[in-house]
Amino acid sequence: MPYPNSPNGCFERHGYTVERTPRRSGVGYHRAIYDRHGQQVLSRAGYDAEIKFCREHGLMLQEDQAPLQTA
């Protein structure tokens, strides 16, 4: 199971589908994200863009969104 507030955790918890297609270089994958209705909401977005999408659309667990406290 993915970390709850990772993009994969957020998408899985809210019924989104992550489609992975191999990169031409053969290293890694391109990702397309689809909502529960099958509409594509992200394509080839990097990690930062996926996290931003999760925050903007309320997909993250609230208790894990607070910044870490420093001593």
Side-chain angles (χ1 to χ4, degrees):
M1 177 165 226
Y3 179 73
N5 269 349
S6 69
N8 287 337
C10 291
F11 296 142
E12 182 179 295
R13 188 172 51 257
H14 292 278
Y16 286 67
T17 301
V18 178
E19 181 180 279
R20 295 166 180 85
T21 54
R23 294 178 188 247
R24 287 186 192 157
S25 67
V27 178
Y29 294 90
H30 290 294
R31 292 164 48 104
I33 314 300
Y34 297 88
D35 67 14
R36 288 171 269 160
H37 307 289
Q39 181 177 349
Q40 187 174 21
V41 295
L42 288 171
S43 178
R44 296 185 179 193
Y47 178 85
D48 291 338
E50 289 185 6
I51 285 291
K52 182 178 177 184
F53 178 88
C54 290
R55 284 189 179 123
E56 290 176 349
H57 291 86
L59 305 181
M60 299 188 81
L61 297 173
Q62 294 300 316
E63 62 272 13
D64 289 341
Q65 287 191 51
L68 296 175
Q69 297 293 324
T70 56

